[in-house]
Amino acid sequence: MRTLRVVTALAGVGLIGYGVYGLLHDSYIKDPLDVLVWLVGWLLIHDGLWVPLLCVLGASFVRGPVLRGWLIVVAALTAVALPPILRDGHNNGNASLLPLPYLRNWLIVLAVTAVAATLVALVSLRRRRRGSPSGGPGAPRDNHSRLRGG
């Protein structure tokens, strides 16, 4: 397990280094400091607003880890898909600018993830119901069995 963590960490550091190299050598980026300012702003919005809001809403209104996880996926997909959905039809004369049906594709991805979440919930529910009455995982606990000698 330790080896896997080290390999994963090294791969992550390598990808970050490759990204920084690309940032510093990209001909379209005139001032990398602008990208750093944008990155810090996005980090503040993400960690200061988005994640706490999702955690509070999820803990307050949603029961079950599968539904909560699916709603987090929906929120992330929506955050990514919303700009092109809102800009649909505004291509400023360039048909290749936003060429795809983003609303339809977003709805398809949401449907696929909903089906996947439903399958995970059903499998989880089935496993819980299969719990053995002999005290295996998922079986209800009898706290008085120790007192009766059982």
Side-chain angles (χ1 to χ4, degrees):
M1 188 59 120
R2 181 166 157 59
T3 305
L4 180 62
R5 287 183 184 171
V6 169
V7 169
T8 305
L10 289 175
V13 169
L15 288 173
I16 290 170
Y18 179 72
V20 169
Y21 175 82
L23 173 69
L24 295 175
H25 293 89
D26 191 333
S27 62
Y28 290 108
I29 297 174
K30 303 298 179 205
D31 188 6
L33 191 59
D34 286 343
V35 176
L36 182 63
V37 168
W38 179 86
L39 182 64
V40 168
W42 185 248
L43 184 66
L44 289 174
I45 290 171
H46 180 269
D47 290 353
L49 178 68
W50 188 249
V51 171
L53 180 66
L54 285 177
C55 289
V56 167
L57 291 175
S60 300
F61 300 112
V62 180
R63 292 198 178 261
V66 176
L67 179 59
R68 192 174 297 147
W70 180 71
L71 289 175
I72 290 171
V73 169
V74 167
L77 288 170
T78 302
V80 170
L82 199 57
I85 289 171
L86 294 177
R87 301 263 314 159
D88 191 29
H90 297 89
N91 59 15
N92 297 327
N94 183 356
S96 67
L97 190 60
L98 292 171
L100 301 175
Y102 294 100
L103 178 60
R104 184 201 70 189
N105 293 348
W106 173 67
L107 292 172
I108 289 170
V109 171
L110 290 185
V112 169
T113 58
V115 168
T118 302
L119 291 175
V120 168
L122 289 174
V123 167
S124 174
L125 183 63
R126 189 171 183 204
R127 283 185 182 163
R128 255 188 275 142
R129 285 190 178 169
R130 265 204 221 160
S132 66
S134 63
R141 292 183 180 222
D142 182 8
N143 291 330
H144 303 290
S145 64
R146 282 180 275 137
L147 299 174
R148 291 186 301 227

